[in-house]
Each structure stands twice: as C-alpha cells, then as structure tokens.
Amino acid sequence: MGGEESKCGYQISRVIPNSPAFCSGLLPFFDYIVGVDGLAIEEDGVFFKEYLKSHNLQNVTLDIYNTRIKDVRKVAITPNDQWGGQGLLGCSIMWENIDKSFLYPWHVLDVIPNSNAMKAGLVEHRTYILGMQCFTSSEIYCTLFSDEEDFRRRLDQFATAAADPQHKLYNNSSIVLLVYDCLDNTMREVLAGIPLGCDVG
C-alpha cells in the first residue's frame, strides 16, 4: 500500500446477513479488497470476479485494507453460489480511491428531541451516516455516498417522492440509513422517518 500513486481497491458498500462475507467479518465502508491469494488487485476489471467464479466452493484468502486501523489483514472466505442469496460473497463492492474514503460521511451534530433521528437511535457527536437507501433502485438497501452533496440530494428526492401519492417507485415516509457508532465501533442499517430532525456536518 506504499508509494505515491493513488491507493484503490474494492470498497465493501454492503454486507448481506448470513452471507460468506458476513460470516467472514467483512465490514462495509471501512474494508477494501486489495488482493486475493497473494495476487494484488490493481485495477477494476474482470480478474477478481472471474477468480471467484473459478474458485466457487473453494477457500480463498482476501487481503483486506481497513481504513480505521490503516493496515491489511488476511480474511479466509469461501465463494459460494449456494449460500441462499445474491453473489458468491454476498456483498456489494465498488472500485474506489482509498484516500477519499472519509470525504463523504456525515457526522450527526445535533438531534432534535422526539425527532425521527432520535427514534432511529441516532446520537449527536457519536453517530456517522455513511450511506443510505438509493433512490433510483426498487430494492431497499444502502449505498455509500458518492460525493459531498449526495446525502442531501437523496433526502430531497425521497421527500419529494413521499409527498406525491402517484410516485410509482417510492411513496413511503421512511428511509434506510447505514450508520456507524464511533464509541462502540458498530455499524448497522436503521429505518428512519423523514424529515430526520438532526443537524449534520
């Protein structure tokens, strides 16, 4: 991971419960896949996906760079097309620049009493919002924010759609957030009503 070039890898954006990724302890947001079985993954291409396919139901070892501890750990995992869900690992990945990983989370600074944010368990100066439900997908799952305006943009989209009973894709008043608690070092998805009722920065 040294050198002056940009550090990139497959950032884990979602881990499905009871999947191979979940059972191996992979973490959304903080974990990046940078190698497999001693082979470095240097670009976004077919290599990694094809490697997993060719090792279905066989043990492989992933090199996982974690941005919190700033180090690489070895993770044993078995790609499996029969585990009961999507994909061989059961996680969503995106090719990302590791150095930019902390640019887009939002720190909860203030929570209004009895607000939707409080009911969802968001705690001021402790909770970070790392991602949220994607507006353009019919599937309900979180994706990480792609830029500094993405969070507010999605909130506005959901708020507008929730106010329109004719909206075909979304007419609910709740959204799914991916949040991180910096004190107990836990990450979870929570259902929160909109408007949230909290200040972020």
Side-chain angles (χ1 to χ4, degrees), residues 133 135 137-138 140 157-175 194:
Q133 182 178 342
F135 180 76
S137 174
S138 58
I140 301 177
Q157 289 173 327
F158 279 113
T160 301
D164 181 4
Q166 302 302 317
H167 198 280
K168 295 181 179 180
L169 183 62
Y170 178 84
N171 58 8
N172 201 340
S173 59
S174 298
I175 53 176
I194 50 176

Side-chain angles (χ1 to χ4, degrees), residues 59-75:
N59 292 333
V60 300
T61 300
L62 301 179
D63 292 326
I64 302 295
Y65 182 81
N66 183 278
T67 55
R68 285 194 70 252
I69 63 174
K70 296 181 173 21
D71 202 0
V72 177
R73 72 183 190 278
K74 303 286 186 180
V75 174

Side-chain angles (χ1 to χ4, degrees), residues 109-123:
L109 303 176
D110 185 60
V111 176
I112 299 173
N114 300 316
S115 65
N116 289 319
M118 176 171 284
K119 293 175 183 176
L122 306 189
V123 182

Side-chain angles (χ1 to χ4, degrees), residues 70-176:
K70 296 181 173 21
D71 202 0
V72 177
R73 72 183 190 278
K74 303 286 186 180
V75 174
I77 194 169
T78 304
N80 186 346
D81 60 1
Q82 302 171 22
W83 68 270
Q86 283 189 321
L88 293 171
L89 300 183
C91 64
S92 300
I93 58 176
M94 304 182 299
W95 186 255
E96 296 287 352
N97 186 324
I98 296 174
D99 293 329
K100 295 182 179 180
S101 63
F102 287 101
L103 291 181
Y104 309 132
W106 289 92
H107 192 190
V108 176
L109 303 176
D110 185 60
V111 176
I112 299 173
N114 300 316
S115 65
N116 289 319
M118 176 171 284
K119 293 175 183 176
L122 306 189
V123 182
E124 55 193 36
H125 304 296
R126 175 170 172 172
T127 301
Y128 287 81
I129 302 174
L130 307 180
M132 68 178 287
Q133 182 178 342
C134 186
F135 180 76
T136 57
S137 174
S138 58
E139 296 185 48
I140 301 177
Y141 64 89
C142 291
T143 59
L144 303 178
F145 300 126
S146 59
D147 56 59
E148 61 183 13
E149 297 299 327
D150 194 13
F151 178 41
R152 301 185 192 278
R153 182 167 58 243
R154 292 195 215 182
L155 283 178
D156 289 342
Q157 289 173 327
F158 279 113
T160 301
D164 181 4
Q166 302 302 317
H167 198 280
K168 295 181 179 180
L169 183 62
Y170 178 84
N171 58 8
N172 201 340
S173 59
S174 298
I175 53 176
V176 180

